[in-house]
Amino acid sequence: MADSTSEQLASAAAITNFNKKIGDQSRLYNGAEYIFYDAVIKGNPYYNDTATFEPGSVIYDGINYSGVSLLFDLNKDCVITLLPNKFTMIKLITERVRSFDISGHHFIYLDKEKSGKLAPGFYNQVYNGGVELLVKNKKLLQKTSGLSGTIEYFFSESKEIYLKKGGVYTSANSKGAMLNILKDKSKELKQYIGTNNINFDDNKEQAMVKVAAYYDQLTK
């Protein structure tokens, strides 16, 4: 009994000392442990197909943490970080993440109140002005029958683009859909697209960002 009590006290002291050393960052390391997927699954569930941690920043519980090792799991729609031991991985508590930045992209969390008709979760905010452009990246775990009758698992990737105007998010996965949402300036936008040779097939997101920014100029 005495040994057990001593061990508990020693453990508590170690945790206290750990939290003192890392200061405010101790609030960041309070999620559940994260485990990598089975290696037999084809592909990976991570943003940009990157299965290694990258330096990023995150606003968590209202505190901005920079230089944090991050990994974004698109299948589970969760953000993972490393404990200072550089080995243990934990999932950040989703509802406490306001936003995070990784690979030069800014992701925001929309809860039920902010998302409207959209599903709550993390969205890549590619433009934020008078109108807003969000991209929802997904990687779903799928299964299929192999040649020998065995079941094979793989990740299937998809992407949805949403345009927010007048406080409402609307699906905008094509040039036509975007122009329909911004129809009050569709004539000017069509002329702008043609004059500047903006090709939606080459890079849809980049094209939409240019059009959204020009729309904001027209409606100032």
Side-chain angles (χ1 to χ4, degrees):
M1 184 72 172
D3 289 342
S4 177
T5 301
S6 297
E7 289 176 1
Q8 290 176 2
L9 290 173
S11 177
I15 293 171
T16 299
N17 187 49
F18 171 77
N19 287 334
K20 283 182 178 179
K21 285 184 178 180
I22 62 177
D24 284 341
Q25 288 203 8
S26 63
R27 295 178 61 178
L28 184 65
Y29 305 123
N30 57 8
E33 186 174 1
Y34 178 85
I35 306 296
F36 277 126
Y37 293 78
D38 195 313
V40 300
I41 302 174
K42 293 183 178 180
N44 73 62
Y46 306 108
Y47 183 69
N48 271 352
D49 292 326
T50 303
T52 55
F53 283 86
E54 298 181 49
S57 62
V58 58
I59 297 180
Y60 192 73
D61 273 342
I63 299 174
N64 190 355
Y65 299 94
S66 59
V68 180
S69 296
L70 296 178
L71 190 61
F72 183 23
D73 184 331
L74 296 176
N75 178 58
K76 296 179 179 177
D77 200 28
C78 67
V79 185
I80 307 115
T81 190
L82 279 172
L83 288 182
N85 62 19
K86 302 300 181 182
F87 177 76
T88 307
M89 302 177 292
I90 63 168
K91 294 187 293 184
L92 298 183
I93 299 171
T94 296
E95 292 76 15
R96 297 185 182 181
V97 179
R98 183 190 302 171
S99 64
F100 68 95
D101 291 83
I102 188 173
S103 300
H105 293 268
H106 181 64
F107 293 85
I108 62 172
Y109 176 68
L110 295 183
D111 56 23
K112 290 182 180 179
E113 183 178 344
K114 295 178 182 178
S115 60
K117 294 181 179 180
L118 303 187
F122 292 110
Y123 291 81
N124 186 359
Q125 188 182 59
V126 295
Y127 181 78
N128 186 27
V131 294
E132 180 185 15
L133 274 171
L134 298 181
V135 179
K136 182 61 178 176
N137 303 91
K138 295 181 182 179
K139 286 191 178 182
L140 301 179
L141 184 59
Q142 309 277 10
K143 65 179 180 179
T144 185
S145 297
L147 295 176
S148 60
T150 58
I151 301 298
E152 296 181 351
Y153 292 88
F154 65 97
F155 290 103
S156 173
E157 188 170 7
S158 65
K159 179 189 296 185
E160 292 285 332
I161 301 176
Y162 299 96
L163 177 62
K164 183 181 181 182
K165 179 191 174 190
V168 178
Y169 288 108
T170 306
S171 178
N173 289 305
S174 66
K175 179 174 73 173
M178 184 178 197
L179 291 175
N180 186 55
I181 298 169
L182 306 178
K183 56 188 175 184
D184 54 314
K185 298 293 180 181
S186 62
K187 181 179 179 181
E188 294 92 330
L189 294 177
K190 287 177 181 177
Q191 183 176 2
Y192 172 75
I193 292 169
T195 302
N196 292 275
N197 297 313
I198 297 175
N199 193 328
F200 280 67
D201 294 328
D202 290 343
N203 190 322
K204 187 188 298 183
E205 290 177 30
Q206 189 179 72
M208 288 187 169
V209 168
K210 291 179 179 178
V211 173
Y214 186 66
Y215 176 84
D216 279 345
Q217 290 181 31
L218 294 173
T219 54
K220 280 184 178 179

